[in-house]
Amino acid sequence: MTDWSPIFISMKTASLSIFITFFLGLIVAYGIVKMRNDSAKIVLDGIFTLPLVLPPTVVGFFLLYIFGVRGPIGRFFLDFFTVKIAFSWTATVIAAVVMSFPLMYRSARGAFEQVDSDLLDAGRTLGMSEWKIFWKVLFANALPGIISGGILAYARGLGEFGATAMLAGNIAGQTRTLPMAVYSEVAAGNMGEAFNFVVVIVIISFIVISIMDYFSIRKEKQWRY
């Protein structure tokens, strides 16, 4: 009998991680776009994008070093709150956030940079506050690109494997996500069970791609008319 808990663990992990990643990506992207120091912008952009180009296991190693029981943050939470971060469901969320953040950040930044600066200046001449300019002008015009980035980030968090394996492990019913379940079933020789999980991942991925394409086509029509 197939254990479907990896589906619920993956969906729960991806849902919480995209909530965190979405707003964090917007804030960081906006801060980088507003930054005037080019050298600092290059350095920070490299740091924020690094998880996108590093092997996931390397990212997982750094996360384990930080959040493990001997790491600075992991030890702090264990000593003061008796909370163990590594090899828990929280660890799957942390891994998903770190690995999906670059996609959200770069998509949001690219969308912000494509908005005509004259629109922002027009808002200022009308007496709009920077807060209103951000939401009413910048965010509204960059929304298609932001949504596409959010969808990609969600899919990345849902399919995260390497960093999750390093930081959260492969504990059945707790940290075993869909990718981990596929790996476990194949390793155990249960190809039928692995196929069931693969079908679920393929269906979810296809839905994600379809939604992203919908917003891309909608964006093209807006530019055309």
Side-chain angles (χ1 to χ4, degrees):
M1 183 177 179
T2 302
D3 176 18
W4 296 108
S5 64
I7 298 177
F8 301 108
I9 293 173
S10 290
M11 297 299 291
K12 185 170 64 171
T13 299
S15 298
L16 180 56
S17 67
I18 189 55
F19 179 80
I20 298 171
T21 303
F22 184 83
F23 291 103
L24 187 62
L26 285 182
I27 294 170
V28 174
Y30 182 68
I32 293 295
V33 170
K34 296 283 289 183
M35 189 175 291
R36 294 290 179 260
N37 189 319
D38 291 337
S39 298
K41 182 183 291 189
I42 292 173
V43 172
L44 290 175
D45 182 74
I47 294 173
F48 295 141
T49 309
L50 206 55
L52 190 63
V53 295
L54 283 176
T57 50
V58 174
V59 178
F61 171 82
F62 284 116
L63 291 176
L64 187 60
Y65 185 83
I66 296 171
F67 293 100
V69 292
R70 296 183 180 179
I73 298 180
R75 179 180 295 178
F76 173 81
F77 273 87
L78 188 61
D79 291 342
F80 290 93
F81 303 103
T82 64
V83 174
K84 183 182 177 183
I85 297 178
F87 304 105
S88 66
W89 177 74
T90 303
T92 67
V93 177
I94 294 173
V97 168
V98 172
M99 294 303 298
S100 61
F101 171 80
L103 288 172
M104 184 64 223
Y105 156 70
R106 295 203 67 86
S107 296
R109 179 184 172 182
F112 286 155
E113 291 176 338
Q114 289 179 2
V115 176
D116 192 346
S117 60
D118 291 339
L119 295 175
L120 306 182
D121 293 335
R124 294 187 181 97
T125 58
L126 293 173
M128 296 175 65
S129 65
E130 290 297 321
W131 178 257
K132 284 188 176 181
I133 290 174
F134 175 80
W135 288 110
K136 300 290 186 179
V137 182
L138 185 61
F139 181 82
N141 284 277
L143 187 57
I146 291 173
I147 292 177
S148 295
I151 294 171
L152 284 174
Y154 178 83
R156 184 68 184 86
L158 189 67
E160 166 50 33
F161 177 81
T164 301
M166 293 289 289
L167 182 63
N170 186 17
I171 306 172
Q174 296 183 39
T175 66
R176 181 172 292 175
T177 57
L178 277 170
M180 298 296 297
V182 173
Y183 174 81
S184 299
E185 296 300 343
V186 171
N190 301 323
M191 301 303 291
E193 300 292 325
F195 181 78
N196 292 335
F197 290 125
V198 167
V199 170
V200 173
I201 294 175
V202 170
I203 292 174
I204 295 175
S205 299
F206 181 79
I207 293 173
V208 168
I209 293 172
S210 299
I211 295 174
M212 188 176 63
D213 287 341
Y214 168 78
F215 283 103
S216 297
I217 294 172
R218 185 177 177 182
K219 182 179 179 181
E220 289 178 2
K221 289 183 177 179
Q222 287 177 347
W223 280 102
R224 189 180 304 170
Y225 299 105

